[in-house]
């Protein structure tokens, strides 16, 4: 784990830095290919920015709502840059709502927009396991395999590397579709194929995690969510393909 990169008096949080670099790379790829999906790059930049701002505010307010005592004595902590005071679920929900509202105001078509944004999602999918490795999150179950890594006092599956390798595979597979969509390509197919592959691999790789949240008789909540996402994405891809072929 290496959560902090110390450069002289400057302390840089490595997980955040990794995600920012991934976002920049994803946006750069998006900008070059947005026109191929018939979406303006500058509008997409504003869409992403709106989502990020809404997500950051929502994540902090959600955290404050869950843990008001953390801010009772120091209300100025609400504007702290500490990422530990953010609620990921609340942030994601707020980001989606903010991006949706902006998209509605600009009358963006949903599926071409999602296709154009797929490089951003792909870059973040590759970077997130590295961010987890730096912070010590997303660790694997204990193992005796020779490629296990020591983390939190035990030798564990290097699930962060598994997930990064899986995301790179998906990104490579989707790359031609993102950068050279064929004439008459069904809008939404690029994004939906990306989601299907990520969800399917999540189902498999979650079994190696050592920090999974479980419900009922040991069912992993992440796998349940992946099953739902996979089913919805497959049905929507089939529906859109069937409608287009009529």
């Amino acid at each position: 784990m290496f959560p902090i990169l110390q450069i002289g008096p400057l302390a840089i949080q490595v997980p955040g830095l990794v995600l920012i670099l991934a976002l920049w790379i994803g946006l750069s790829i998006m900008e070059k290919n947005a026109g191929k999906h018939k979406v303006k790059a500058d509008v997409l930049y504003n869409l992403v920015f709106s989502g990020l701002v809404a997500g950051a505010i929502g994540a902090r307010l959600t955290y404050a709502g869950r843990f008001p005592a953390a801010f009772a004595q120091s209300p100025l902590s609400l504007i702290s840059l500490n990422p530990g005071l953010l609620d990921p679920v609340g942030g994601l929900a707020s980001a989606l709502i903010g991006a949706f509202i902006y998209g509605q105001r600009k009358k963006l078509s949903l599926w071409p927009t999602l296709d154009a944004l797929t490089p951003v999602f792909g870059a973040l999918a590759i970077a997130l396991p590295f961010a987890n490795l730096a912070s010590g999150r997303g660790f694997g179950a204990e193992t005796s395999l020779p490629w296990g890594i020591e983390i939190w006092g035990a030798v564990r599956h290097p699930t962060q590397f598994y997930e990064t390798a899986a995301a790179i595979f998906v990104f490579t597979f989707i790359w031609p579709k993102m950068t050279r969509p064929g004439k008459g390509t069904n809008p939404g197919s690029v994004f939906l194929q990306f989601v299907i592959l990520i969800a399917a691999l999540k189902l498999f790789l979650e079994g190696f995690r050592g920090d999974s949240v479980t419900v009922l008789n040991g069912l992993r909540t992440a796998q349940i969510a992946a099953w739902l996402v996979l089913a919805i994405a497959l049905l929507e891809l089939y529906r859109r393909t069937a409608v287009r072929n009529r």
Side-chain angles (χ1 to χ4, degrees):
M1 295 183 294
F2 43 98
I4 302 295
L5 177 62
Q6 193 73 38
I7 303 177
L10 184 63
I12 300 174
Q13 299 208 12
V14 175
L17 177 62
V18 169
L19 293 176
I20 289 172
L21 288 174
L23 181 63
W24 174 71
I25 292 171
L27 288 171
S28 298
I29 298 172
M30 177 207 74
E31 182 180 21
K32 294 179 180 178
N33 297 283
K36 299 174 184 177
H37 299 282
K38 300 180 181 180
V39 186
K40 294 182 179 179
D42 58 338
V43 177
L44 289 177
Y45 269 111
N46 292 333
L47 175 73
V48 173
F49 180 75
S50 299
L52 289 174
V53 172
I57 295 173
R60 181 55 51 83
L61 293 179
T62 305
Y63 188 92
R66 292 180 59 196
F67 307 103
F71 303 92
Q73 296 183 347
S74 179
L76 288 178
S77 296
L78 281 169
I79 57 175
S80 167
L81 297 179
N82 183 0
L85 301 178
L86 299 174
D87 181 77
V89 176
L92 177 60
S94 300
L96 292 175
I97 292 172
F100 179 78
I101 292 173
Y102 179 85
Q104 288 290 95
R105 290 183 59 187
K106 292 298 181 179
K107 298 180 179 179
L108 292 174
S109 297
L110 176 63
W111 294 111
T113 300
L114 290 174
D115 283 344
L117 288 172
T118 300
V120 179
F121 302 139
L124 290 174
I126 293 172
L128 183 59
F130 276 114
N132 285 337
L133 179 63
S135 64
R137 297 177 180 177
F139 55 85
E142 294 186 28
T143 181
S144 59
L145 293 172
W147 57 80
I149 59 174
E150 186 171 348
I151 186 170
W152 297 121
V155 176
R156 302 178 181 274
H157 280 285
T159 48
Q160 298 95 336
F161 293 109
Y162 297 167
E163 291 173 359
T164 294
I168 290 174
F169 163 76
V170 173
F171 196 87
T172 303
F173 179 82
I174 296 294
W175 178 262
K177 307 174 189 295
M178 291 189 299
T179 57
R180 297 188 301 275
K183 186 177 181 180
T185 299
N186 191 14
S189 62
V190 175
F191 172 74
L192 288 171
Q193 289 177 55
F194 169 79
V195 171
I196 288 167
L197 289 171
I198 288 292
L201 288 168
K202 181 67 175 176
L203 280 171
F204 173 70
L205 294 176
E206 187 66 21
F208 296 99
R209 291 279 290 265
D211 62 341
S212 299
V213 177
T214 58
V215 294
L216 301 177
N217 294 322
L219 294 175
R220 298 172 187 254
T221 56
Q223 287 181 320
I224 296 173
W227 271 118
L228 291 173
V229 170
L230 180 60
I232 293 170
L234 283 169
L235 287 172
E236 181 60 27
L237 182 61
Y238 172 78
R239 186 187 72 82
R240 297 185 64 78
T241 303
V243 169
R244 190 172 185 86
N245 290 338
R246 286 178 184 173

